[in-house]
Amino acid sequence: MALLIADTQRHLADIQEEILTPKAKEFLDYLHHEFERTRQELLSLRREKQHSLNRGMLMGFLPSTRHIRHSDWQVASCPSDLLDRRVEITGPAEPKMMINALNSGAKVFMADLEDSLSPTWENILIAQKSLKDVVRHDLVFEDEEKGKRYELNDQIATLLVRPRGLHLDEKHFTVEAQPISASLFDFGLYMFHNAQERVLRGSAPYFYLPKMESHLEARLWADIIHHAEAYLGIPRGSVRVTVLIETIHAAFEMEEILFELKDYISGLNAGRWDYIFSFIKAFHRHEDFILPDRNQVTMTVPFMKAYTELMVKTCHRRGAHAIGGMAAFIPNRRDIAVTEEALRKVSADKQREAQQGCDGTWVAHPDLIPTAMAEFDKVLGQNPHQKARQREDVDVNSSDLLNTHIVGGQVTEAGVRLNINVALQYINAWLGGLGAAAIHNLMEDAATAEISRAQLWQWLKHEVILADGRKFNEALYRQWHVEELGQLDGDYLEEASQILNELVISERFKRFLTLRAYEFLP
């Protein structure tokens, strides 16, 4: 065991030396000095907005940017290898996962450094090394236990990278004793090592940008990209980004976000799970916005349908792709019934998105690609997208985006217990270095775990009445927490239990689960 640990440490040290070169560190220092102050100002603005919402401020479209919404402009032209995005597969930036995803037959693979990757230092370094190898078509994974070798096919999916959100720090890299922004760290290292190589190979660095809450944050990203291109000597306008609309704040500023990034943006994506979490977080103190059990908050409920249809209309008006969201259902190769049910639900979900006008969609498992592809093939045919569908029939106003009326919606004991169970299992997995976990035949990541713990806080804070007439209070929560915990097995359940209790019982709503849990990671 000691030899194995020593080998692992040496291997990691070699990767760190390859990735964190003196020149790479200089670039990261440059990004930090240029943009850290603005990042902190924007994070402060987020907190101010939340305080205003807590005090009863109404949310709506910005009067100050009305001229942007009512003028004619288009986003930059789309590169040829991003034209057809009908099925995109996502997953953590881990070697085996990346090879399987890139070889899967999907049009695009999003290598995730955010919600589905537990950001241990080891995971982050290996991710950057793996991305560097993918760009050069050199990535290989040897599975010694199975005696199997994984390598890239000649033809692979187009690579996009999702850095961590602006709210996160990377504690292992400091500039003048201050942790660097995890966004700048992830984006900066990928750009430094791969931007020129991607351009030489006829493509460019492509990104998914997460957790954005305003067009001012989009403006920051545009500045970061512009400075990075200039610093690294690649042609201006090479980079392309897709922004995840996964906060209620961003839903009211879609056009402004596209406008600020118009030289670099290729589309928007309906990040549905983070969007639900963001909705709960934004209105956590308001009884009028309490949502029912998580499984009742589907894409067809009023506020979710409104936001996706507005996204399609907005994107197509401005010449951008509209990408549908992730269906969390996953197949089980050992259980035919579970697989058939998963495929049925995924088929219905992707049919709905394609008919709404989406140009593509997300899946989390290779076995779902044929099902998703079939639904988009029916609508797109040989066309790479359906931007010509302007959706002029869509007329979404502020009240539509905030309409939480769900017919028959209830909070049940089963729903409370499921949230406790999922949160405990996911936090346990995350602390163990696993950022995407199959739980109850669903693929859970940080976003879905956030929904579970946020609902628990809100239900408890407002002492909701359960479907059976009981009031949900701390005594019930503690009882069910203990009972659910007793049914689980995991190396980090004690820590997971502590974290969940802190998040749920706290008087103040904690902004992100991962901020607290990150303190436990090596």
Side-chain angles (χ1 to χ4, degrees):
M1 178 62 74
L3 180 61
L4 180 60
I5 292 173
D7 287 345
T8 301
Q9 290 174 338
R10 279 197 296 271
H11 177 59
L12 223 79
D14 291 342
I15 293 176
Q16 181 166 327
E17 185 177 2
E18 177 182 346
I19 297 301
L20 285 171
T21 64
K23 291 293 186 182
K25 291 179 181 179
E26 285 180 14
F27 182 51
L28 293 176
D29 287 356
Y30 167 77
L31 293 176
H32 176 87
H33 285 117
E34 287 289 329
F35 301 110
E36 179 60 16
R37 176 180 293 181
T38 304
R39 181 179 79 105
Q40 292 299 334
E41 290 172 352
L42 292 172
L43 293 178
S44 178
L45 185 59
R46 285 187 182 185
R47 293 189 288 270
E48 291 174 14
K49 286 183 178 179
Q50 186 60 60
H51 292 325
S52 296
L53 287 172
N54 291 348
R55 293 193 298 267
M57 181 193 77
L58 296 177
M59 187 176 285
F61 297 99
L62 299 176
S64 62
T65 55
R66 188 178 183 277
H67 63 286
I68 293 174
R69 298 192 297 275
H70 291 273
S71 58
D72 291 328
W73 50 269
Q74 295 278 291
V75 301
S77 60
C78 186
S80 60
D81 56 350
L82 275 178
L83 275 174
D84 192 332
R85 304 177 62 172
R86 67 188 68 199
V87 178
E88 304 186 353
I89 189 168
T90 77
E94 298 167 348
K96 180 181 174 182
M97 173 72 73
M98 292 173 68
I99 293 171
N100 286 338
L102 288 161
N103 290 343
S104 66
K107 298 294 185 181
V108 167
F109 167 55
M110 185 198 78
D112 194 13
L113 294 163
E114 206 220 13
D115 275 355
S116 67
L117 185 79
S118 174
T120 66
W121 187 231
E122 179 179 358
N123 282 350
I124 294 297
L125 288 177
I126 290 174
Q128 289 288 348
K129 164 65 174 169
S130 300
L131 289 168
K132 183 180 177 184
D133 289 345
V134 164
V135 168
R136 291 152 182 81
H137 220 91
D138 290 337
L139 184 63
V140 174
F141 179 78
E142 300 279 358
D143 190 332
E144 295 180 359
E145 290 185 7
K146 295 182 179 179
K148 190 173 180 180
R149 177 183 173 91
Y150 297 81
E151 53 190 355
L152 296 170
N153 295 339
D154 291 338
Q155 297 295 320
I156 60 175
T158 298
L159 175 67
L160 278 77
V161 176
R162 177 162 72 169
R164 284 168 284 176
L166 288 170
H167 61 290
L168 297 171
D169 293 334
E170 175 48 70
K171 63 186 178 183
H172 297 95
F173 189 92
T174 60
V175 181
E176 297 171 357
Q178 183 181 7
I180 194 172
S181 157
S183 292
L184 294 180
F185 186 83
D186 297 344
F187 169 86
L189 284 179
Y190 180 73
M191 281 288 289
F192 180 83
H193 289 292
N194 305 295
Q196 291 183 353
E197 187 70 23
R198 289 284 284 174
V199 171
L200 286 172
R201 290 172 178 260
S203 185
Y206 301 149
F207 295 92
Y208 258 106
L209 300 181
K211 304 290 188 293
M212 204 172 289
E213 293 194 11
S214 76
H215 71 286
L216 298 179
E217 294 177 13
R219 183 180 298 170
L220 170 61
W221 271 113
D223 287 344
I224 292 169
I225 295 165
H226 173 65
H227 280 71
E229 287 180 336
Y231 186 105
L232 298 171
I234 65 172
R236 182 176 181 184
S238 298
V239 171
R240 285 293 181 274
V241 302
T242 303
V243 170
L244 288 137
I245 302 298
E246 52 188 357
T247 70
I248 180 64
H249 306 280
F252 283 96
E253 300 185 36
M254 291 188 207
E255 291 211 65
E256 293 89 336
I257 288 169
L258 285 171
F259 181 80
E260 294 292 345
L261 281 159
K262 64 181 182 297
D263 293 337
Y264 301 109
I265 200 162
S266 60
L268 302 178
N269 174 289
R272 62 177 70 173
W273 305 114
D274 265 306
Y275 190 78
I276 295 171
F277 163 58
S278 168
F279 199 99
I280 300 167
K281 179 169 65 171
F283 301 110
H284 64 271
R285 292 196 174 272
H286 298 270
E287 289 186 278
D288 293 342
F289 290 102
I290 293 175
L291 299 178
D293 287 359
R294 191 181 107 177
N295 60 12
Q296 297 175 40
V297 187
T298 67
M299 295 304 295
T300 59
V301 303
F303 77 102
M304 296 298 287
K305 180 182 178 182
Y307 123 85
T308 51
E309 294 205 322
L310 178 61
M311 184 194 75
V312 172
K313 180 178 182 177
T314 302
C315 285
H316 288 182
R317 182 187 178 200
R318 303 304 184 182
H321 281 71
I323 308 298
M326 175 73 76
F329 309 106
I330 56 173
N332 185 330
R333 291 170 179 174
R334 296 182 297 275
D335 191 325
I336 294 176
V338 168
T339 296
E340 289 178 347
E341 180 66 5
L343 293 177
R344 183 188 68 79
K345 290 178 177 178
V346 169
S347 178
D349 183 61
K350 303 315 171 188
Q351 180 183 77
R352 174 192 54 77
E353 289 180 331
Q355 291 176 349
Q356 275 186 317
C358 289
D359 304 293
T361 191
W362 270 15
V363 298
H365 194 286
D367 289 356
L368 302 180
I369 292 173
T371 299
M373 193 77 75
E375 295 301 336
F376 274 83
D377 285 348
K378 290 176 189 175
V379 173
L380 298 181
Q382 297 301 310
N383 298 315
H385 52 71
Q386 52 180 331
K387 294 178 187 178
R389 283 192 65 193
Q390 294 288 295
R391 290 305 310 268
E392 293 176 357
D393 58 306
V394 172
D395 183 19
V396 172
N397 57 38
S398 298
S399 60
D400 296 323
L401 290 173
L402 302 176
N403 183 355
T404 57
H405 178 65
I406 298 176
V407 177
Q410 293 179 315
V411 180
T412 68
E413 176 182 342
V416 174
R417 285 183 175 273
L418 182 64
N419 277 348
I420 294 170
N421 183 284
V422 167
L424 287 171
Q425 288 199 63
Y426 182 76
I427 297 170
N428 171 73
W430 197 87
L431 294 175
L434 184 64
I439 302 173
H440 305 309
N441 299 311
L442 296 175
M443 184 60 73
E444 304 282 353
D445 66 6
T448 51
E450 291 280 28
I451 297 173
S452 292
R453 69 90 180 181
Q455 284 197 311
L456 290 169
W457 187 96
Q458 192 179 44
W459 293 342
L460 184 59
K461 176 69 176 178
H462 297 286
E463 294 191 321
V464 298
I465 303 302
L466 302 177
D468 60 15
R470 285 179 294 174
K471 180 185 291 185
F472 182 52
N473 55 29
E474 186 174 330
L476 271 183
Y477 165 73
R478 288 189 180 276
Q479 175 189 335
W480 293 342
H481 180 117
V482 170
E483 291 171 1
E484 293 300 320
L485 183 63
Q487 299 176 39
L488 302 177
D489 183 32
D491 294 336
Y492 300 94
L493 282 174
E494 182 178 345
E495 294 90 340
S497 176
Q498 175 189 337
I499 291 169
L500 183 59
N501 277 336
E502 288 180 14
L503 294 170
V504 173
I505 298 173
S506 170
E507 175 60 27
R508 296 181 62 185
F509 186 91
K510 306 295 185 182
R511 290 177 297 136
F512 290 96
L513 176 164
T514 47
L515 288 175
R516 177 68 178 108
Y518 187 53
E519 298 172 20
F520 288 76
L521 288 186

